[in-house]
Amino acid sequence: MFSSRSPGPRAVPPVENPLLLQSAVSLASKIRNREVKCEEVIKSYIDRVQHVNFLINAVVADRFEEALDTAREIDTVLDAGDPNDLYPLQSYPLLGVPFTAKEAFA
């Protein structure tokens, strides 16, 4: 129950980075086609989490450095040429797309 003194919930700031408005499929395609670097996508999501997490508490334990390292590895493979040897499309359809899951234990 909220008291009359409670300021109520604070609004989450609007998304300003257009990468954050892309679908997962669109991002995956753009990463594979080298229209955007995986590292750039990951950094965009990290920036957003850092900007709003104090309001929504979505990420309790981050792995930002590991995600950036993986993004750089993916970019290196993609920049070298055909990624299908290491990352076939059928096995890795969302290659480079950031993902997080909220853990819940009873």
Side-chain angles (χ1 to χ4, degrees):
M1 183 166 165
F2 290 102
S3 75
S4 60
R5 294 182 184 174
S6 173
R10 292 191 281 181
V12 175
V15 173
E16 295 177 2
N17 186 326
L19 283 175
L20 301 176
L21 300 173
Q22 298 285 313
S23 70
V25 172
S26 175
L27 281 175
S29 175
K30 288 179 179 186
I31 290 168
R32 271 195 188 267
N33 293 323
R34 309 315 292 141
E35 295 171 38
V36 65
K37 294 275 192 179
C38 182
E39 184 177 4
E40 180 184 353
V41 173
I42 299 299
K43 283 181 178 180
S44 297
Y45 275 84
I46 290 171
D47 288 345
R48 181 66 177 172
V49 168
Q50 291 174 333
H51 191 73
V52 301
N53 198 52
F54 76 98
L55 293 169
I56 61 175
N57 195 31
V59 177
V60 177
D62 69 65
R63 56 174 304 275
F64 296 152
E65 288 306 314
E66 295 91 341
L68 286 168
D69 289 343
T70 301
R72 290 181 194 110
E73 290 172 17
I74 290 169
D75 283 335
T76 299
V77 169
L78 294 175
D79 287 341
D82 184 13
N84 287 318
D85 290 338
L86 288 175
Y87 301 113
L89 182 59
Q90 289 78 12
S91 299
Y92 298 92
L94 298 178
L95 180 67
V97 176
F99 171 81
T100 189
K102 189 82 171 183
E103 293 181 16
F105 296 98

